[in-house]
Amino acid sequence: MSKYLVEDTRKVTTQRFAEMKRKGEKIAMLTAYDYTTASIMDAAGVDAFLVGDSASNVMAGNATTLPITIDEMIYYAKGVVRGVKRALVVVDMPFGTYQVNADEAVKNAIRIMKETNADAVKMEGGEEILPAVKRILDAGIPIMAHLGLTPQSINKFGTYGVRAKNDAEAEKLCNDAKLLADAGCFALVLEKIPAALAEKVTKSIDIPVIGIGAGVNVDGQVLVYADMLGMTADFKPRFLRRYADLHTIITDAVGSYVSDVKACDFPNENEQY
Ligand code: KIV
């Protein structure tokens, strides 16, 4: 059993998220997709995990988040929930599970909550998805909203560049943030937008704003764990800080194992029966 690095080991709830915003305590969030990694990161004090549809890229090697299915998301989320004792667990609703109509959206959100035992779902988009957001909230399911660069719309945007740099897009983003907060979403992710705009949105709504590539003047940060641990060596966006070089550590360790096996140096006398 690993030792918890944080003193407060009470389960993080959506109410605690609201309290953290009120008290000005920053929220540290990471993605997670499996039991073992989630349990290590939970004990290190992460406040919330996102079982992101970035699993499509990180776990399955797809170029975008679009192909991942609800069955695959549920599989990843079940492992994470089993590994996490303290953090809040949010599961991305994958592309195609909430855009058709509100009835389908609420059915899929209920399925995710029932089968994974997670704490909330996340959805990308603003006014366009408001009817689905309202139905899901009415079913008692907490929603983390997501604006700015919304990767499920990559085919509309054409690039993964910074969003909301022009006035029209910035104004729509501010309006969408207000609509989603007023509807009752418990938190909002802002991805890859100018820091000044993220600060303005953060000050204008009561719910916590979690940034990724959105500057420091928000209520918390989220990163893809494989990126911040340096597993994805070729992915180098400006917003990413690497806290480890696991790519090198894993390569060296696996290389040593291969050499030892080839040289009949593994297993030794103490490693056999
Ligand atoms: O799927 C994901 O990992 C995300 C984060 C980048 C916010 O949506």
Side-chain angles (χ1 to χ4, degrees), residues 228-246:
M228 60 82 75
L229 292 179
M231 298 171 85
T232 47
D234 296 335
F235 184 60
K236 293 176 181 156
R238 179 187 169 122
F239 67 77
L240 176 62
R241 185 180 297 178
R242 290 226 169 85
Y243 287 85
D245 182 4
L246 286 199

Side-chain angles (χ1 to χ4, degrees), residues 117-257:
N117 216 11
D119 302 303
V121 296
K122 179 166 84 55
M123 300 163 72
E124 296 180 6
E127 193 172 7
E128 324 72 61
I129 61 158
L130 207 56
V133 165
K134 287 183 173 161
R135 282 290 300 285
I136 293 170
L137 291 170
D138 283 348
I141 299 172
I143 297 176
M144 177 176 276
H146 183 161
L147 297 171
L149 176 64
T150 47
Q152 292 179 14
S153 302
I154 186 59
N155 292 316
K156 185 172 85 179
F157 297 148
T159 79
Y160 286 101
V162 179
R163 302 304 315 174
K165 286 205 285 193
N166 66 54
D167 289 350
E169 198 178 331
E171 194 185 329
K172 173 167 165 45
L173 188 141
C174 291
N175 290 339
D176 282 345
K178 190 162 172 12
L179 285 173
L180 292 160
D182 288 350
C185 292
F186 79 95
L188 168 67
V189 169
L190 290 180
E191 180 166 354
K192 233 175 167 185
I193 63 166
L197 177 61
E199 180 177 2
K200 181 177 162 194
V201 172
T202 303
K203 286 182 175 152
S204 72
I205 58 177
D206 288 338
I207 60 173
V209 172
I210 312 294
I212 173 165
V216 74
N217 291 319
V218 290
D219 302 303
Q221 300 291 332
V222 60
L223 285 175
V224 170
Y225 90 88
D227 297 336
M228 60 82 75
L229 292 179
M231 298 171 85
T232 47
D234 296 335
F235 184 60
K236 293 176 181 156
R238 179 187 169 122
F239 67 77
L240 176 62
R241 185 180 297 178
R242 290 226 169 85
Y243 287 85
D245 182 4
L246 286 199
H247 192 277
T248 302
I249 290 172
I250 292 171
T251 305
D252 289 350
V254 172
S256 297
Y257 165 75

Side-chain angles (χ1 to χ4, degrees), residues 37-142:
T37 317
S39 59
I40 296 169
M41 298 193 295
D42 185 53
V46 172
D47 297 309
F49 288 108
L50 171 64
V51 184
D53 57 0
S54 50
S56 177
N57 314 85
V58 178
M59 303 301 280
N62 291 311
T64 72
T65 59
L66 275 69
I68 200 161
T69 66
I70 189 166
D71 290 342
E72 289 166 335
M73 288 300 299
I74 286 171
Y75 175 83
Y76 292 127
K78 279 177 164 176
V80 171
V81 169
R82 281 187 217 113
V84 169
K85 294 196 182 77
R86 176 181 174 270
L88 184 90
V89 179
V90 182
V91 181
D92 251 334
M93 293 194 69
F95 177 63
T97 60
Y98 56 96
Q99 291 90 348
V100 176
N101 60 50
D103 284 345
E104 262 193 37
V106 74
K107 243 160 88 179
N108 286 323
I110 287 171
R111 186 172 164 220
I112 289 171
M113 297 299 283
K114 246 186 192 313
E115 294 185 28
T116 68
N117 216 11
D119 302 303
V121 296
K122 179 166 84 55
M123 300 163 72
E124 296 180 6
E127 193 172 7
E128 324 72 61
I129 61 158
L130 207 56
V133 165
K134 287 183 173 161
R135 282 290 300 285
I136 293 170
L137 291 170
D138 283 348
I141 299 172

